[in-house]
Amino acid sequence: MISRAEPTPPENGTSSSPNANSPLAANVGIDGLIPVRMLNEYSYCPRLAYLEFVQGEWAENLETLEGTFGHRNVDKPDRKQIPARSKSNSKAAKSEETEEEGPTSIHARSLTLSSEQEGLIAKLDLLEIEGETITPVDYKRGKVPDLPEGAYEPERVQICAQGLILRDNGYHCTEGVIYYIASKRRVVIPFDDELIARTRELVRLFRETAISEICPPPLEDSPKCNRCSLVGICLPDETNLLIDQQQLTHERSQLPVKPDGLRKLLPARQNALPLYVQHQGAFVGKSGDRITIKLKGEELSSVRLLDISQVCVFGNVMFSAQAIQQLTNRGISICHLTYGGWFHSMTSGLLHKNIELRIRQYQTAAQANEALQISRQFIAGKIKNCRTLLRRHLSEKEHPVLRQLNEYHRRALRAESAETLLGLEGMAAKEYFAAFFTLLPDQPEFDVDGRNRRPPRDPVNAVLSFLYSLLTKELTVALQSTGFDPMLGFLHRPRYGRPSLALDLAEEFRPLIADSVALTVFNNQEVSPDSFLHKAGAVTMTDAGRKSVIAAYERRLDTEITHPIFGYKVSYRRILEVQSRLLARHLLGELAEYPSFLTR
Amino acid sequence: MRTVYLISYDITCPKRYRQIYKSMKGHGEPMQYSVFRCELSDMELQQLKDALWPVLNLDEDRVMIVDLGPIEGRGDDCIEFWGEPIVAVQPRTATII
Ligand code: SF4
């Protein structure tokens, strides 16, 4: 009868006609099939289905994990069976006289079927086969909802789509069953004309949406977002707020109004944090679900994989294949820096599936005007944040540099070309650093002669260069996990081995994160003259010195501040990620402007 | 945010015992034989269950999960410990070695 469909197609549908005119439309081209799981998502929220299907986004949350846990009975046939239809639901069986006649019922579990005609493909949890009739059964976590239809639309549509596929494969199929794991109850969903029409309509709408290459807007203040696993990627309330504000400012050309605080859908802090290894010759391995760091066979430390957000290594550190595999599988990047702190490469899993974003990124970079519009935001944001840092620390509140930076900020917003913009940036930086260096402790060992690098010639510049390198690394990770190509920037021109886009986005964060950490470590004496080595005019940090600087940098990223636009508390670490996502939203046309991050 | 759990288990078969011990090491720190202290978010607790479930034979084995509350709240205050713990609890910071 029914055999396992082989081979199992990939989750995101099958491959497609080679000559579809767009690489994205190809996903849902004439012969591309839509997984019925996506119909469920589309009915829940069109944006969710688009993000998952077209942009290849995926994130787990408690709901999706519990869903998988609930399926353990399905995937393991030897575990407890769900009650068979004849025992538990006599109402459903009322019209079927054959049912009581003997052991004719067969269960087939977990198989994949598709229908060209309906344009659908499904993984079916369970089929109950009785004579000529087949009934698909879908497992759902949770309880039976209190609804006249017996189940929410997304679930009904999903089971109906399974039924349509079965019918197209020649089976007799008139209803489906949803089994609610928490209530241990079966709900029968008859495939009436209305449901079938709705299902087919949703297939058509979803296909249109996917081909249109326009991401549906976020839901407005919907309780669905609270339970949505993609909320941290979608940023529904944040996006809606920015769209409104940008429309307002365009119409009335005045400053946006600050809201009283948005619903807080993002956690303020992440649980997982970076792991840094700077011991030369250390070995990073895996034992169970932990990462172990050993030196000459002796264990220096071991960390749960679930506590690691990224691994950063300096110089010669070795990795076992298992460690690399586990880390990359979990989406944890390994950042490689030279012993001196120069960020040069990154080991990570496959590239993000969001091709749409990368195509837009390349197109935008090729268009001088669009690239300039974004670059202005980076530089204007940077100058503004430089000014804020000085305003907070300078004792003289009327210091002329503050007025100067205001002026540069204004001019940067209007710069007519990338050259002008870079020129303004250079002039602003010169004045800013002159004032910045006066904020450092008055110690001859820490004297600076202006900003210098490659190699830095004094401790302050060594610390600054190192912090910029860490910040670039942070943003490279964030941009890549958003789906960008970190190597192609809008302001910084691509140069071999430089993640230009990360350097672009780093501009507005340099004063807020790197410069402010430099002030902290010198003024709080977290580094001392002993933390530095002088060699042939160049200055480097000792292991201990570098450790103090990394610790201060990580503390800064963990600092929670009130978001100036969204009004809720959030860590800098999260802000970096959110800015990267907002940049993506701008490139994909959702936001008219990229809003740089400014503090007050 | 994370919650502190105390998880203990009785496993009859040595092979399963080793497997469970290994899984538990990925989710928390051992405090005594077969007793772990785990800091887990809701999702991470679910992942722990996912990891243990296929190994356990519940006809013979037992697992106890005690919720001690959020880390910042009652968390550890309700544990009185005598003698040397096997491992000490680390504060939440980036690991730098
Ligand atoms: S967060 Fe809300 S708007 Fe965004 S995809 Fe999820 S349900 Fe849709």
Side-chain angles (χ1 to χ4, degrees):
Chain A
M1 306 197 55
I2 289 185
S3 61
R4 241 162 230 275
E6 45 121 31
T8 315
E11 281 284 84
N12 270 3
T14 52
S15 62
S16 50
S17 67
N19 46 9
N21 40 15
S22 147
L24 305 171
N27 253 348
V28 282
I30 313 295
D31 53 353
L33 300 174
I34 295 174
V36 296
R37 188 172 55 82
M38 284 299 151
L39 272 200
N40 174 323
E41 312 280 45
Y42 189 75
S43 161
Y44 186 82
C45 167
R47 184 178 176 88
L48 176 60
Y50 189 91
L51 291 173
E52 288 189 356
F53 189 68
V54 181
Q55 301 193 343
E57 298 286 5
W58 176 247
E60 295 275 15
N61 70 358
L62 187 58
E63 320 257 326
T64 62
L65 279 180
E66 284 181 351
T68 321
F69 193 61
H71 277 78
R72 67 195 187 277
N73 283 343
V74 186
D75 300 332
K76 286 204 148 197
D78 54 343
R79 299 271 181 206
K80 278 184 218 126
Q81 301 258 329
I82 66 155
R85 136 197 221 127
S86 49
K87 285 177 208 143
S88 73
N89 203 323
S90 47
K91 245 195 285 162
K94 61 183 181 297
S95 62
E96 314 212 4
E97 290 120 60
T98 52
E99 187 141 82
E100 307 297 320
E101 285 182 8
T104 52
S105 106
I106 302 169
H107 288 191
R109 286 170 190 275
S110 196
L111 49 91
T112 302
L113 275 183
S114 66
S115 155
E116 293 284 329
Q117 194 184 326
E118 304 286 350
L120 289 169
I121 182 162
K123 182 156 176 246
L124 299 118
D125 283 350
L126 174 68
L127 291 178
E128 291 179 346
I129 305 152
E130 292 175 21
E132 297 295 296
T133 305
I134 288 197
T135 307
V137 182
D138 210 32
Y139 285 63
K140 292 289 169 208
R141 57 184 289 281
K143 296 204 171 84
V144 179
D146 187 14
L147 292 170
E149 300 88 5
Y152 289 105
E153 186 190 61
E155 300 170 346
R156 288 189 299 129
V157 167
Q158 187 177 6
I159 194 90
C160 177
Q162 295 187 3
L164 291 178
I165 294 175
L166 287 166
R167 282 192 190 185
D168 188 37
N169 280 271
Y171 299 102
H172 182 62
C173 176
T174 56
E175 61 185 28
V177 169
I178 300 176
Y179 182 73
Y180 286 93
I181 293 162
S183 320
K184 297 202 174 83
R185 262 186 55 200
R186 302 162 60 96
V187 171
V188 176
I189 307 291
F191 301 150
D192 54 30
D193 293 346
E194 197 188 330
L195 181 58
I196 292 176
R198 176 68 182 148
T199 305
R200 290 195 170 132
E201 185 195 359
L202 283 171
V203 175
R204 186 179 54 78
L205 288 174
F206 180 41
R207 197 173 289 274
E208 276 174 21
T209 307
I211 293 175
S212 76
E213 297 182 22
I214 297 167
C215 186
L219 302 177
E220 297 262 356
D221 204 21
S222 163
K224 289 180 180 178
C225 300
N226 285 312
R227 308 178 45 205
C228 172
S229 67
L230 290 192
V231 67
I233 290 165
C234 161
L235 302 171
D237 293 4
E238 291 82 352
T239 306
N240 280 328
L241 175 80
L242 287 169
I243 292 175
D244 288 354
Q245 283 192 349
Q246 293 184 349
Q247 274 167 0
L248 271 183
T249 34
H250 269 254
E251 280 157 21
R252 295 201 246 128
S253 73
Q254 65 178 25
L255 276 178
V257 222
K258 189 175 160 270
D260 296 335
L262 229 47
R263 267 197 304 181
K264 187 154 175 41
L265 297 172
L266 286 178
R269 282 219 184 103
Q270 288 97 318
N271 288 320
L273 293 172
L275 162 68
Y276 290 85
V277 184
Q278 56 168 343
H279 278 282
Q280 296 307 287
F283 183 82
V284 179
K286 179 185 103 77
S287 154
D289 286 340
R290 295 180 88 94
I291 289 295
T292 56
I293 301 99
K294 292 183 181 161
L295 189 63
K296 298 197 182 101
E298 195 192 323
E299 184 170 306
L300 296 177
S301 183
S302 92
V303 189
R304 300 188 296 177
L305 270 158
L306 31 111
D307 284 328
I308 303 177
S309 63
Q310 56 173 248
V311 182
C312 306
V313 296
F314 295 89
N316 292 317
V317 174
M318 289 165 283
F319 280 81
S320 77
Q322 291 93 321
I324 294 176
Q325 197 190 342
Q326 260 303 314
L327 290 166
T328 50
N329 270 352
R330 290 179 180 232
I332 302 170
S333 302
I334 306 171
C335 301
H336 307 271
L337 295 91
T338 60
Y339 183 65
W342 176 259
F343 174 46
H344 62 85
S345 56
M346 189 158 115
T347 306
S348 52
L350 292 174
L351 279 186
H352 196 290
K353 287 190 224 154
N354 198 345
I355 299 294
E356 193 179 21
L357 178 59
R358 282 197 289 281
I359 293 174
R360 283 297 301 147
Q361 182 189 350
Y362 295 137
Q363 287 171 344
T364 307
Q367 277 165 359
N369 256 338
E370 284 189 44
L372 178 64
Q373 194 205 336
I374 303 173
S375 305
R376 282 193 201 121
Q377 292 296 318
F378 293 145
I379 295 303
K382 175 192 187 168
I383 298 176
K384 188 98 195 180
N385 287 333
C386 284
R387 184 181 181 278
T388 308
L389 181 141
L390 291 181
R391 200 199 60 222
R392 282 195 195 146
H393 289 92
L394 285 172
S395 44
E396 195 189 329
K397 293 299 168 203
E398 300 296 316
H399 200 292
V401 73
L402 298 179
R403 203 167 16 84
Q404 281 291 351
L405 290 178
N406 250 347
E407 177 62 20
Y408 286 130
H409 171 251
R410 236 170 26 86
R411 285 166 61 188
L413 281 176
R414 290 188 322 234
E416 295 287 337
S417 71
E419 291 69 42
T420 320
L421 197 56
L422 283 168
L424 284 166
E425 194 264 336
M427 290 188 285
K430 203 157 168 247
E431 300 210 15
Y432 162 74
F433 274 116
F436 175 83
F437 289 137
T438 66
L439 302 173
L440 290 157
D442 202 5
Q443 273 189 52
E445 292 91 340
F446 294 148
D447 260 0
V448 277
D449 178 22
R451 171 84 184 114
N452 57 66
R453 56 211 145 132
R454 271 180 275 153
R457 293 194 299 272
D458 57 72
V460 175
N461 275 295
V463 167
L464 282 175
S465 292
F466 180 60
L467 286 166
Y468 294 154
S469 180
L470 292 183
L471 185 57
T472 308
K473 167 214 66 157
E474 220 65 66
L475 288 163
T476 306
V477 174
L479 286 163
Q480 183 156 312
S481 57
T482 305
F484 282 108
D485 177 346
M487 302 310 281
L488 180 62
F490 301 123
L491 172 69
H492 292 86
R493 292 290 109 197
R495 251 197 295 146
Y496 177 73
R498 303 272 285 162
S500 307
L501 188 59
L503 293 170
D504 283 1
L505 194 52
E507 293 290 357
E508 62 198 73
F509 290 108
R510 283 180 177 220
L512 300 178
I513 293 175
D515 300 351
S516 127
V517 169
L519 281 186
T520 308
V521 293
F522 283 102
N523 287 327
N524 295 355
Q525 286 154 27
E526 288 170 47
V527 292
S528 66
D530 294 345
S531 313
F532 300 93
L533 300 170
H534 299 253
K535 245 187 275 167
V539 171
T540 56
M541 276 182 270
T542 62
D543 281 3
R546 192 160 48 203
K547 189 168 177 174
S548 310
V549 176
I550 297 173
Y553 166 80
E554 286 293 332
R555 277 203 316 271
R556 181 70 179 168
L557 287 187
D558 231 24
T559 309
E560 285 182 22
I561 60 161
T562 303
H563 195 287
I565 303 176
F566 305 142
Y568 50 55
K569 287 249 179 212
V570 64
S571 70
Y572 271 114
R573 208 185 293 283
R574 185 67 87 183
I575 288 171
L576 296 181
E577 185 203 319
V578 168
Q579 287 303 113
S580 163
R581 297 209 178 278
L582 293 180
L583 181 60
R585 297 264 171 268
H586 166 61
L587 290 188
L588 293 169
E590 203 156 77
L591 298 177
E593 199 167 68
Y594 164 72
S596 51
F597 180 82
L598 306 173
T599 49
R600 272 144 215 271
Chain B
M1 284 284 98
R2 282 174 170 163
T3 299
V4 182
Y5 294 93
L6 201 68
I7 302 183
S8 68
Y9 48 84
D10 291 340
I11 310 290
T12 50
C13 148
K15 188 171 160 228
R16 286 205 303 277
Y17 180 87
R18 274 193 307 275
Q19 279 176 287
I20 294 290
Y21 178 76
K22 249 188 143 178
S23 281
M24 288 301 301
K25 284 272 282 177
H27 294 87
E29 310 291 344
M31 293 185 78
Q32 295 185 328
Y33 296 116
S34 307
V35 179
F36 275 73
R37 179 191 172 282
C38 304
E39 289 183 7
L40 302 168
S41 67
D42 292 351
M43 248 173 92
E44 288 159 354
L45 177 65
Q46 185 62 49
Q47 283 163 345
L48 170 76
K49 292 179 182 175
D50 283 344
L52 300 189
W53 180 265
V55 183
L56 291 168
N57 175 354
L58 292 182
D59 293 336
E60 296 178 16
D61 305 336
R62 275 189 289 264
V63 174
M64 181 169 77
I65 302 177
V66 183
D67 178 343
L68 300 182
I71 300 176
E72 294 82 12
R74 198 167 86 109
D76 289 314
D77 297 346
C78 57
I79 303 178
E80 181 176 329
F81 198 93
W82 295 4
E84 271 298 302
I86 299 179
V87 288
V89 172
Q90 301 295 325
R92 174 192 177 279
T93 52
T95 316
I96 310 165
I97 12 178

mmCIF file of all heavy atoms in Angstrom, chain A residues 44-49 51 217-220 222 224-237 240 263 265, ligand 1:
data_model
loop_
_atom_site.group_PDB
_atom_site.id
_atom_site.type_symbol
_atom_site.label_atom_id
_atom_site.label_comp_id
_atom_site.label_asym_id
_atom_site.label_seq_id
_atom_site.Cartn_x
_atom_site.Cartn_y
_atom_site.Cartn_z
ATOM 1 N N TYR A 44 -1.211 31.311 10.559
ATOM 2 C CA TYR A 44 -0.941 31.928 11.866
ATOM 3 C C TYR A 44 -0.483 33.364 11.653
ATOM 4 O O TYR A 44 -0.978 34.295 12.275
ATOM 5 C CB TYR A 44 0.144 31.123 12.580
ATOM 6 C CG TYR A 44 0.444 31.546 14.002
ATOM 7 C CD1 TYR A 44 -0.345 31.104 15.058
ATOM 8 C CD2 TYR A 44 1.527 32.374 14.289
ATOM 9 C CE1 TYR A 44 -0.066 31.476 16.361
ATOM 10 C CE2 TYR A 44 1.817 32.749 15.591
ATOM 11 C CZ TYR A 44 1.017 32.296 16.626
ATOM 12 O OH TYR A 44 1.295 32.666 17.920
ATOM 13 N N CYS A 45 0.477 33.542 10.774
ATOM 14 C CA CYS A 45 0.993 34.884 10.478
ATOM 15 C C CYS A 45 1.737 34.812 9.148
ATOM 16 O O CYS A 45 2.717 34.086 9.035
ATOM 17 C CB CYS A 45 1.933 35.337 11.586
ATOM 18 S SG CYS A 45 2.911 36.789 11.153
ATOM 19 N N PRO A 46 1.289 35.554 8.140
ATOM 20 C CA PRO A 46 1.937 35.473 6.820
ATOM 21 C C PRO A 46 3.427 35.804 6.878
ATOM 22 O O PRO A 46 4.234 35.218 6.164
ATOM 23 C CB PRO A 46 1.186 36.519 6.000
ATOM 24 C CG PRO A 46 -0.132 36.664 6.659
ATOM 25 C CD PRO A 46 0.097 36.427 8.119
ATOM 26 N N ARG A 47 3.780 36.741 7.758
ATOM 27 C CA ARG A 47 5.190 37.132 7.858
ATOM 28 C C ARG A 47 6.045 35.969 8.354
ATOM 29 O O ARG A 47 7.152 35.753 7.872
ATOM 30 C CB ARG A 47 5.313 38.321 8.813
ATOM 31 C CG ARG A 47 6.712 38.905 8.948
ATOM 32 C CD ARG A 47 6.610 40.089 9.886
ATOM 33 N NE ARG A 47 7.840 40.746 10.217
ATOM 34 C CZ ARG A 47 8.391 41.735 9.524
ATOM 35 N NH1 ARG A 47 7.834 42.122 8.410
ATOM 36 N NH2 ARG A 47 9.482 42.324 9.939
ATOM 37 N N LEU A 48 5.512 35.225 9.302
ATOM 38 C CA LEU A 48 6.246 34.086 9.856
ATOM 39 C C LEU A 48 6.585 33.081 8.752
ATOM 40 O O LEU A 48 7.720 32.618 8.624
ATOM 41 C CB LEU A 48 5.390 33.420 10.942
ATOM 42 C CG LEU A 48 5.916 32.157 11.589
ATOM 43 C CD1 LEU A 48 7.248 32.426 12.276
ATOM 44 C CD2 LEU A 48 4.914 31.614 12.598
ATOM 45 N N ALA A 49 5.583 32.772 7.916
ATOM 46 C CA ALA A 49 5.824 31.811 6.836
ATOM 47 C C ALA A 49 6.847 32.359 5.848
ATOM 48 O O ALA A 49 7.717 31.639 5.370
ATOM 49 C CB ALA A 49 4.512 31.498 6.120
ATOM 50 N N LEU A 51 9.286 34.575 6.442
ATOM 51 C CA LEU A 51 10.623 34.566 7.053
ATOM 52 C C LEU A 51 11.212 33.157 7.011
ATOM 53 O O LEU A 51 12.385 32.969 6.710
ATOM 54 C CB LEU A 51 10.569 35.069 8.498
ATOM 55 C CG LEU A 51 10.258 36.560 8.698
ATOM 56 C CD1 LEU A 51 10.070 36.886 10.175
ATOM 57 C CD2 LEU A 51 11.362 37.424 8.111
ATOM 58 N N PRO A 217 3.960 42.631 6.324
ATOM 59 C CA PRO A 217 4.276 43.456 7.499
ATOM 60 C C PRO A 217 4.043 42.684 8.798
ATOM 61 O O PRO A 217 3.289 41.710 8.813
ATOM 62 C CB PRO A 217 3.303 44.625 7.388
ATOM 63 C CG PRO A 217 2.181 44.120 6.553
ATOM 64 C CD PRO A 217 2.774 43.114 5.616
ATOM 65 N N PRO A 218 4.675 43.124 9.890
ATOM 66 C CA PRO A 218 4.449 42.452 11.167
ATOM 67 C C PRO A 218 3.016 42.656 11.642
ATOM 68 O O PRO A 218 2.379 43.642 11.274
ATOM 69 C CB PRO A 218 5.406 43.171 12.134
ATOM 70 C CG PRO A 218 6.218 44.109 11.345
ATOM 71 C CD PRO A 218 5.604 44.258 9.997
ATOM 72 N N LEU A 219 2.525 41.755 12.450
ATOM 73 C CA LEU A 219 1.208 41.928 13.052
ATOM 74 C C LEU A 219 1.256 43.129 13.994
ATOM 75 O O LEU A 219 2.308 43.463 14.529
ATOM 76 C CB LEU A 219 0.819 40.672 13.836
ATOM 77 C CG LEU A 219 0.789 39.361 13.048
ATOM 78 C CD1 LEU A 219 0.458 38.202 13.975
ATOM 79 C CD2 LEU A 219 -0.218 39.437 11.906
ATOM 80 N N GLU A 220 0.114 43.768 14.170
ATOM 81 C CA GLU A 220 0.056 44.939 15.047
ATOM 82 C C GLU A 220 -0.325 44.491 16.445
ATOM 83 O O GLU A 220 -1.429 44.021 16.655
ATOM 84 C CB GLU A 220 -0.999 45.934 14.533
ATOM 85 C CG GLU A 220 -0.700 46.502 13.172
ATOM 86 C CD GLU A 220 -0.053 47.891 13.255
ATOM 87 O OE1 GLU A 220 0.093 48.418 14.381
ATOM 88 O OE2 GLU A 220 0.319 48.418 12.190
ATOM 89 N N SER A 222 -0.034 42.073 18.357
ATOM 90 C CA SER A 222 -0.778 40.823 18.425
ATOM 91 C C SER A 222 -0.255 39.915 19.524
ATOM 92 O O SER A 222 0.951 39.799 19.720
ATOM 93 C CB SER A 222 -0.666 40.101 17.081
ATOM 94 O OG SER A 222 -1.032 38.748 17.234
ATOM 95 N N LYS A 224 -0.154 36.914 19.352
ATOM 96 C CA LYS A 224 0.539 35.803 18.694
ATOM 97 C C LYS A 224 2.051 35.965 18.782
ATOM 98 O O LYS A 224 2.787 34.990 18.838
ATOM 99 C CB LYS A 224 0.140 35.729 17.221
ATOM 100 C CG LYS A 224 -1.274 35.256 16.990
ATOM 101 C CD LYS A 224 -1.555 35.234 15.501
ATOM 102 C CE LYS A 224 -2.971 34.768 15.212
ATOM 103 N NZ LYS A 224 -3.240 34.790 13.779
ATOM 104 N N CYS A 225 2.513 37.223 18.743
ATOM 105 C CA CYS A 225 3.963 37.465 18.742
ATOM 106 C C CYS A 225 4.625 36.965 20.023
ATOM 107 O O CYS A 225 5.780 36.564 20.011
ATOM 108 C CB CYS A 225 4.251 38.941 18.543
ATOM 109 S SG CYS A 225 3.600 39.572 16.990
ATOM 110 N N ASN A 226 3.887 37.006 21.122
ATOM 111 C CA ASN A 226 4.450 36.512 22.387
ATOM 112 C C ASN A 226 4.879 35.070 22.290
ATOM 113 O O ASN A 226 5.773 34.633 22.991
ATOM 114 C CB ASN A 226 3.396 36.599 23.498
ATOM 115 C CG ASN A 226 3.203 38.022 23.951
ATOM 116 O OD1 ASN A 226 4.170 38.720 24.207
ATOM 117 N ND2 ASN A 226 1.956 38.461 24.017
ATOM 118 N N ARG A 227 4.190 34.323 21.465
ATOM 119 C CA ARG A 227 4.446 32.885 21.405
ATOM 120 C C ARG A 227 5.199 32.498 20.151
ATOM 121 O O ARG A 227 5.372 31.327 19.854
ATOM 122 C CB ARG A 227 3.107 32.138 21.458
ATOM 123 C CG ARG A 227 2.239 32.559 22.624
ATOM 124 C CD ARG A 227 0.920 31.828 22.616
ATOM 125 N NE ARG A 227 1.131 30.408 22.362
ATOM 126 C CZ ARG A 227 0.227 29.605 21.837
ATOM 127 N NH1 ARG A 227 -0.946 30.089 21.495
ATOM 128 N NH2 ARG A 227 0.484 28.334 21.645
ATOM 129 N N CYS A 228 5.639 33.498 19.390
ATOM 130 C CA CYS A 228 6.252 33.207 18.105
ATOM 131 C C CYS A 228 7.759 33.020 18.281
ATOM 132 O O CYS A 228 8.422 33.840 18.909
ATOM 133 C CB CYS A 228 5.970 34.366 17.157
ATOM 134 S SG CYS A 228 6.837 34.247 15.609
ATOM 135 N N SER A 229 8.299 31.956 17.713
ATOM 136 C CA SER A 229 9.722 31.682 17.916
ATOM 137 C C SER A 229 10.599 32.678 17.165
ATOM 138 O O SER A 229 11.754 32.858 17.504
ATOM 139 C CB SER A 229 10.055 30.257 17.486
ATOM 140 O OG SER A 229 9.908 30.119 16.093
ATOM 141 N N LEU A 230 10.062 33.348 16.165
ATOM 142 C CA LEU A 230 10.895 34.258 15.383
ATOM 143 C C LEU A 230 10.826 35.698 15.868
ATOM 144 O O LEU A 230 11.291 36.609 15.186
ATOM 145 C CB LEU A 230 10.506 34.208 13.899
ATOM 146 C CG LEU A 230 10.864 32.924 13.165
ATOM 147 C CD1 LEU A 230 10.709 33.121 11.668
ATOM 148 C CD2 LEU A 230 12.283 32.477 13.469
ATOM 149 N N VAL A 231 10.264 35.897 17.042
ATOM 150 C CA VAL A 231 10.030 37.277 17.475
ATOM 151 C C VAL A 231 11.328 38.089 17.536
ATOM 152 O O VAL A 231 11.350 39.269 17.188
ATOM 153 C CB VAL A 231 9.260 37.299 18.819
ATOM 154 C CG1 VAL A 231 10.099 36.741 19.953
ATOM 155 C CG2 VAL A 231 8.769 38.679 19.139
ATOM 156 N N GLY A 232 12.433 37.458 17.911
ATOM 157 C CA GLY A 232 13.707 38.163 18.005
ATOM 158 C C GLY A 232 14.295 38.512 16.643
ATOM 159 O O GLY A 232 15.176 39.352 16.536
ATOM 160 N N ILE A 233 13.823 37.851 15.623
ATOM 161 C CA ILE A 233 14.288 38.113 14.268
ATOM 162 C C ILE A 233 13.344 39.089 13.580
ATOM 163 O O ILE A 233 13.757 40.010 12.884
ATOM 164 C CB ILE A 233 14.385 36.776 13.498
ATOM 165 C CG1 ILE A 233 15.546 35.957 14.066
ATOM 166 C CG2 ILE A 233 14.542 37.002 12.008
ATOM 167 C CD1 ILE A 233 15.544 34.512 13.663
ATOM 168 N N CYS A 234 12.056 38.887 13.817
ATOM 169 C CA CYS A 234 11.018 39.689 13.161
ATOM 170 C C CYS A 234 10.926 41.101 13.739
ATOM 171 O O CYS A 234 10.687 42.063 13.020
ATOM 172 C CB CYS A 234 9.690 38.953 13.311
ATOM 173 S SG CYS A 234 8.244 39.946 13.072
ATOM 174 N N LEU A 235 11.141 41.244 15.053
ATOM 175 C CA LEU A 235 11.035 42.539 15.743
ATOM 176 C C LEU A 235 9.724 43.258 15.399
ATOM 177 O O LEU A 235 9.737 44.376 14.869
ATOM 178 C CB LEU A 235 12.228 43.431 15.377
ATOM 179 C CG LEU A 235 13.615 42.871 15.676
ATOM 180 C CD1 LEU A 235 14.698 43.753 15.072
ATOM 181 C CD2 LEU A 235 13.831 42.735 17.175
ATOM 182 N N PRO A 236 8.578 42.642 15.687
ATOM 183 C CA PRO A 236 7.306 43.198 15.207
ATOM 184 C C PRO A 236 7.016 44.606 15.726
ATOM 185 O O PRO A 236 6.746 45.507 14.929
ATOM 186 C CB PRO A 236 6.269 42.187 15.714
ATOM 187 C CG PRO A 236 6.924 41.497 16.860
ATOM 188 C CD PRO A 236 8.382 41.451 16.516
ATOM 189 N N ASP A 237 7.081 44.789 17.040
ATOM 190 C CA ASP A 237 6.707 46.102 17.585
ATOM 191 C C ASP A 237 7.732 47.160 17.209
ATOM 192 O O ASP A 237 7.383 48.300 16.893
ATOM 193 C CB ASP A 237 6.587 46.012 19.115
ATOM 194 C CG ASP A 237 5.424 45.125 19.529
ATOM 195 O OD1 ASP A 237 4.791 44.545 18.628
ATOM 196 O OD2 ASP A 237 5.149 45.018 20.727
ATOM 197 N N ASN A 240 7.205 48.109 13.521
ATOM 198 C CA ASN A 240 6.006 48.947 13.352
ATOM 199 C C ASN A 240 6.242 50.356 13.862
ATOM 200 O O ASN A 240 5.857 51.336 13.218
ATOM 201 C CB ASN A 240 4.823 48.317 14.098
ATOM 202 C CG ASN A 240 4.192 47.193 13.301
ATOM 203 O OD1 ASN A 240 4.192 47.234 12.069
ATOM 204 N ND2 ASN A 240 3.668 46.187 13.979
ATOM 205 N N ARG A 263 6.140 46.977 24.284
ATOM 206 C CA ARG A 263 6.054 45.629 24.836
ATOM 207 C C ARG A 263 7.436 45.033 24.800
ATOM 208 O O ARG A 263 8.134 45.158 23.791
ATOM 209 C CB ARG A 263 5.196 44.759 23.913
ATOM 210 C CG ARG A 263 3.776 44.692 24.244
ATOM 211 C CD ARG A 263 3.140 43.529 23.545
ATOM 212 N NE ARG A 263 3.322 43.549 22.089
ATOM 213 C CZ ARG A 263 2.818 42.612 21.277
ATOM 214 N NH1 ARG A 263 2.140 41.609 21.768
ATOM 215 N NH2 ARG A 263 3.009 42.678 19.973
ATOM 216 N N LEU A 265 9.370 42.149 24.123
ATOM 217 C CA LEU A 265 9.310 40.784 23.600
ATOM 218 C C LEU A 265 10.698 40.152 23.533
ATOM 219 O O LEU A 265 10.828 38.940 23.444
ATOM 220 C CB LEU A 265 8.675 40.783 22.203
ATOM 221 C CG LEU A 265 7.225 41.272 22.152
ATOM 222 C CD1 LEU A 265 6.756 41.420 20.722
ATOM 223 C CD2 LEU A 265 6.308 40.351 22.913
HETATM 224 S S1 SF4 C 1 6.668 37.987 15.772
HETATM 225 FE FE1 SF4 C 1 4.515 38.350 15.314
HETATM 226 S S2 SF4 C 1 4.529 39.434 13.377
HETATM 227 FE FE2 SF4 C 1 6.544 38.534 13.613
HETATM 228 S S3 SF4 C 1 6.447 36.596 12.544
HETATM 229 FE FE3 SF4 C 1 5.962 36.174 14.661
HETATM 230 S S4 SF4 C 1 3.747 36.321 14.807
HETATM 231 FE FE4 SF4 C 1 4.327 37.266 12.874
#
